[in-house]
Amino acid sequence: MGKFLFIFICFCFAFANVSAREISVRQNAVKATFLSWFSGSCKVSYERAVFSNQTMEMTVGYIGVGRDKYKNNPEGYTIRYAHKFMLYGNKIQPLNGFYLRPELIYSHFHYDTEDFHERELSRMGSAIFTVGYQYAIRRFVVDAYFGSGYAWGNEADTGYQHGFSLWDYFGSYNKHISMTFGVKLGVSF
Protein backbone atom coordinates (compact mmCIF):
# COMPACT_ATOMS: atom_id res chain seq x y z
CA MET A 1 0.00 0.00 0.00
CA GLY A 2 2.88 2.36 0.78
CA LYS A 3 4.35 1.79 -2.72
CA PHE A 4 1.07 2.72 -4.40
CA LEU A 5 0.71 5.80 -2.23
CA PHE A 6 4.28 6.83 -3.06
CA ILE A 7 3.68 6.31 -6.82
CA PHE A 8 0.37 8.16 -6.61
CA ILE A 9 2.00 11.14 -4.84
CA CYS A 10 4.87 11.19 -7.36
CA PHE A 11 2.36 11.03 -10.24
CA CYS A 12 0.30 13.88 -8.76
CA PHE A 13 3.43 15.97 -8.18
CA ALA A 14 4.66 15.38 -11.74
CA PHE A 15 1.23 16.14 -13.21
CA ALA A 16 0.95 19.34 -11.13
CA ASN A 17 4.34 20.52 -12.41
CA VAL A 18 3.38 19.83 -16.02
CA SER A 19 0.00 21.55 -15.76
CA ALA A 20 1.47 24.49 -13.85
CA ARG A 21 3.91 25.24 -16.62
CA GLU A 22 2.69 28.14 -18.61
CA ILE A 23 2.57 27.68 -22.35
CA SER A 24 4.65 30.43 -23.88
CA VAL A 25 2.40 32.33 -26.27
CA ARG A 26 4.42 34.60 -28.52
CA GLN A 27 2.29 37.60 -29.47
CA ASN A 28 5.00 39.89 -30.86
CA ALA A 29 7.40 39.69 -33.78
CA VAL A 30 10.18 41.85 -35.20
CA LYS A 31 10.90 41.22 -38.86
CA ALA A 32 13.15 42.59 -41.62
CA THR A 33 11.98 42.66 -45.22
CA PHE A 34 14.47 40.31 -46.84
CA LEU A 35 14.09 41.48 -50.45
CA SER A 36 14.30 45.21 -49.63
CA TRP A 37 18.11 45.08 -49.45
CA PHE A 38 18.12 44.14 -53.13
CA SER A 39 15.93 47.10 -54.07
CA GLY A 40 17.70 49.95 -52.28
CA SER A 41 16.00 50.16 -48.89
CA CYS A 42 15.97 48.67 -45.40
CA LYS A 43 12.60 47.90 -43.77
CA VAL A 44 11.89 46.67 -40.24
CA SER A 45 8.44 45.61 -38.97
CA TYR A 46 6.90 45.18 -35.56
CA GLU A 47 3.82 42.96 -35.32
CA ARG A 48 1.54 42.43 -32.33
CA ALA A 49 -1.34 39.97 -31.96
CA VAL A 50 -4.38 41.84 -30.66
CA PHE A 51 -6.88 38.96 -30.83
CA SER A 52 -6.51 35.24 -31.58
CA ASN A 53 -7.16 35.96 -35.27
CA GLN A 54 -5.96 39.56 -35.78
CA THR A 55 -2.61 41.31 -35.67
CA MET A 56 -1.40 44.85 -36.25
CA GLU A 57 1.86 45.50 -38.08
CA MET A 58 3.89 48.70 -38.43
CA THR A 59 6.81 48.92 -40.85
CA VAL A 60 9.35 51.71 -41.17
CA GLY A 61 12.06 51.86 -43.77
CA TYR A 62 15.03 53.93 -44.82
CA ILE A 63 15.36 54.35 -48.57
CA GLY A 64 18.97 54.60 -49.76
CA VAL A 65 20.54 51.44 -48.30
CA GLY A 66 21.39 48.30 -50.25
CA ARG A 67 21.56 47.71 -53.97
CA ASP A 68 19.27 49.95 -56.04
CA LYS A 69 18.72 48.33 -59.46
CA TYR A 70 17.77 51.66 -61.06
CA LYS A 71 20.95 53.38 -59.81
CA ASN A 72 19.08 56.64 -59.27
CA ASN A 73 20.52 57.35 -55.80
CA PRO A 74 17.24 57.37 -53.83
CA GLU A 75 17.12 58.78 -50.33
CA GLY A 76 14.10 59.02 -48.05
CA TYR A 77 11.72 56.90 -45.99
CA THR A 78 8.68 54.67 -46.20
CA ILE A 79 5.99 53.84 -43.63
CA ARG A 80 3.46 50.99 -43.75
CA TYR A 81 0.55 50.05 -41.51
CA ALA A 82 -1.25 46.73 -41.92
CA HIS A 83 -4.02 44.95 -40.06
CA LYS A 84 -3.88 41.18 -40.57
CA PHE A 85 -6.88 38.91 -40.39
CA MET A 86 -5.64 35.39 -39.78
CA LEU A 87 -7.92 32.88 -41.49
CA TYR A 88 -7.55 30.29 -38.75
CA GLY A 89 -7.37 31.74 -35.25
CA ASN A 90 -4.91 30.01 -32.94
CA LYS A 91 -4.46 31.10 -29.32
CA ILE A 92 -1.18 29.21 -28.95
CA GLN A 93 0.40 30.58 -32.15
CA PRO A 94 -1.52 33.79 -33.03
CA LEU A 95 1.17 34.83 -35.54
CA ASN A 96 0.95 31.62 -37.59
CA GLY A 97 -1.12 30.87 -40.71
CA PHE A 98 -2.74 32.23 -43.87
CA TYR A 99 -3.98 35.80 -43.71
CA LEU A 100 -5.75 38.64 -45.50
CA ARG A 101 -4.26 42.08 -44.91
CA PRO A 102 -5.41 45.58 -45.87
CA GLU A 103 -2.42 47.90 -45.82
CA LEU A 104 -1.61 51.61 -46.14
CA ILE A 105 1.81 52.59 -47.51
CA TYR A 106 3.50 55.99 -47.85
CA SER A 107 6.87 56.55 -49.56
CA HIS A 108 8.76 59.85 -49.59
CA PHE A 109 12.16 60.06 -51.30
CA HIS A 110 14.40 62.12 -53.58
CA TYR A 111 16.07 60.49 -56.57
CA ASP A 112 18.16 61.32 -59.65
CA THR A 113 16.11 61.66 -62.82
CA GLU A 114 16.76 59.39 -65.81
CA ASP A 115 18.95 62.01 -67.48
CA PHE A 116 20.83 62.59 -64.13
CA HIS A 117 20.57 66.39 -64.45
CA GLU A 118 18.42 67.03 -61.39
CA ARG A 119 16.89 65.48 -58.29
CA GLU A 120 13.16 64.90 -58.08
CA LEU A 121 10.84 64.23 -55.15
CA SER A 122 8.50 61.27 -55.12
CA ARG A 123 5.63 61.19 -52.62
CA MET A 124 3.25 58.29 -53.12
CA GLY A 125 0.57 56.63 -51.07
CA SER A 126 -1.15 53.33 -51.67
CA ALA A 127 -3.98 51.28 -50.20
CA ILE A 128 -3.20 47.64 -50.93
CA PHE A 129 -4.97 44.38 -50.16
CA THR A 130 -2.50 41.52 -49.67
CA VAL A 131 -2.75 37.81 -49.02
CA GLY A 132 0.02 35.76 -47.49
CA TYR A 133 1.24 33.06 -45.21
CA GLN A 134 3.23 33.58 -42.03
CA TYR A 135 5.07 30.61 -40.56
CA ALA A 136 5.97 31.03 -36.89
CA ILE A 137 7.70 28.15 -35.14
CA ARG A 138 9.42 28.65 -31.82
CA ARG A 139 11.12 32.03 -32.22
CA PHE A 140 11.60 32.00 -36.01
CA VAL A 141 9.12 33.80 -38.31
CA VAL A 142 8.86 33.76 -42.13
CA ASP A 143 6.21 35.93 -43.77
CA ALA A 144 5.55 35.78 -47.57
CA TYR A 145 2.87 37.92 -49.23
CA PHE A 146 1.65 39.57 -52.44
CA GLY A 147 -1.11 42.00 -53.29
CA SER A 148 -2.48 44.85 -55.33
CA GLY A 149 -4.34 48.10 -54.80
CA TYR A 150 -4.77 51.77 -55.61
CA ALA A 151 -1.98 54.40 -55.61
CA TRP A 152 -1.93 58.21 -55.68
CA GLY A 153 0.66 60.99 -55.57
CA ASN A 154 3.81 62.07 -57.37
CA GLU A 155 5.48 58.90 -58.66
CA ALA A 156 9.15 58.24 -59.44
CA ASP A 157 9.96 57.95 -63.15
CA THR A 158 10.94 54.29 -62.63
CA GLY A 159 7.53 53.36 -61.16
CA TYR A 160 9.19 51.71 -58.16
CA GLN A 161 8.19 53.37 -54.88
CA HIS A 162 10.27 51.31 -52.37
CA GLY A 163 7.37 49.39 -50.89
CA PHE A 164 5.23 48.93 -53.97
CA SER A 165 5.50 49.16 -57.75
CA LEU A 166 3.19 50.84 -60.19
CA TRP A 167 1.61 48.82 -63.02
CA ASP A 168 4.03 48.66 -65.95
CA TYR A 169 3.27 45.36 -67.69
CA PHE A 170 2.14 44.11 -71.09
CA GLY A 171 3.02 47.39 -72.75
CA SER A 172 0.80 49.50 -70.51
CA TYR A 173 1.54 51.84 -67.59
CA ASN A 174 -0.94 52.93 -64.94
CA LYS A 175 0.20 55.09 -62.04
CA HIS A 176 -2.93 54.27 -60.02
CA ILE A 177 -2.51 50.47 -59.87
CA SER A 178 0.00 49.38 -57.24
CA MET A 179 1.44 45.95 -56.56
CA THR A 180 3.60 44.52 -53.82
CA PHE A 181 5.20 41.25 -52.81
CA GLY A 182 7.83 40.35 -50.28
CA VAL A 183 9.41 37.99 -47.81
CA LYS A 184 10.07 39.00 -44.20
CA LEU A 185 12.30 37.10 -41.77
CA GLY A 186 12.27 37.66 -38.05
CA VAL A 187 11.89 36.53 -34.47
CA SER A 188 8.85 36.26 -32.21
CA PHE A 189 8.66 36.91 -28.49
Side-chain angles (χ1 to χ4, degrees):
M1 181 75 166
K3 272 187 177 177
F4 291 118
L5 184 61
F6 178 75
I7 292 172
F8 179 75
I9 291 172
C10 288
F11 178 78
C12 289
F13 182 76
F15 182 76
N17 278 343
V18 170
S19 65
R21 283 190 213 150
E22 215 174 287
I23 297 173
S24 178
V25 178
R26 292 183 173 85
Q27 295 184 356
N28 302 290
V30 175
K31 302 176 281 188
T33 307
F34 177 69
L35 297 175
S36 67
W37 287 97
F38 301 107
S39 61
S41 61
C42 170
K43 297 180 196 89
V44 177
S45 301
Y46 170 71
E47 183 175 4
R48 170 112 176 124
V50 290
F51 301 110
S52 64
N53 62 346
Q54 294 181 35
T55 69
M56 297 186 310
E57 183 177 45
M58 185 72 172
T59 302
V60 294
Y62 175 72
I63 299 170
V65 176
R67 181 190 171 277
D68 179 42
K69 70 178 184 177
Y70 297 108
K71 296 181 174 57
N72 61 1
N73 194 23
E75 189 172 344
Y77 63 91
T78 184
I79 299 171
R80 300 170 82 130
Y81 172 76
H83 195 92
K84 286 184 182 176
F85 295 92
M86 307 304 277
L87 296 181
Y88 304 105
N90 184 343
K91 291 182 181 181
I92 303 298
Q93 290 289 341
L95 302 175
N96 196 37
F98 285 99
Y99 61 83
L100 303 174
R101 176 179 73 183
E103 183 172 21
L104 294 173
I105 305 171
Y106 177 72
S107 293
H108 179 107
F109 63 97
H110 290 86
Y111 66 97
D112 294 334
T113 58
E114 288 181 345
D115 56 9
F116 296 104
H117 292 301
E118 60 185 87
R119 300 228 355 124
E120 288 287 327
L121 173 63
S122 173
R123 290 183 296 202
M124 288 289 289
S126 181
I128 293 183
F129 185 77
T130 58
V131 296
Y133 183 77
Q134 183 163 275
Y135 182 68
I137 184 160
R138 295 193 178 105
R139 294 199 178 274
F140 185 65
V141 177
V142 178
D143 184 0
Y145 60 91
F146 67 94
S148 183
Y150 182 77
W152 62 91
N154 180 25
E155 77 274 10
D157 56 13
T158 61
Y160 181 66
Q161 299 304 128
H162 295 277
F164 60 94
S165 294
L166 302 177
W167 180 268
D168 190 11
Y169 297 99
F170 310 114
S172 67
Y173 177 78
N174 189 325
K175 75 175 201 169
H176 296 295
I177 298 176
S178 58
M179 298 174 305
T180 188
F181 71 93
V183 176
K184 296 179 182 182
L185 303 174
V187 294
S188 64
F189 54 95

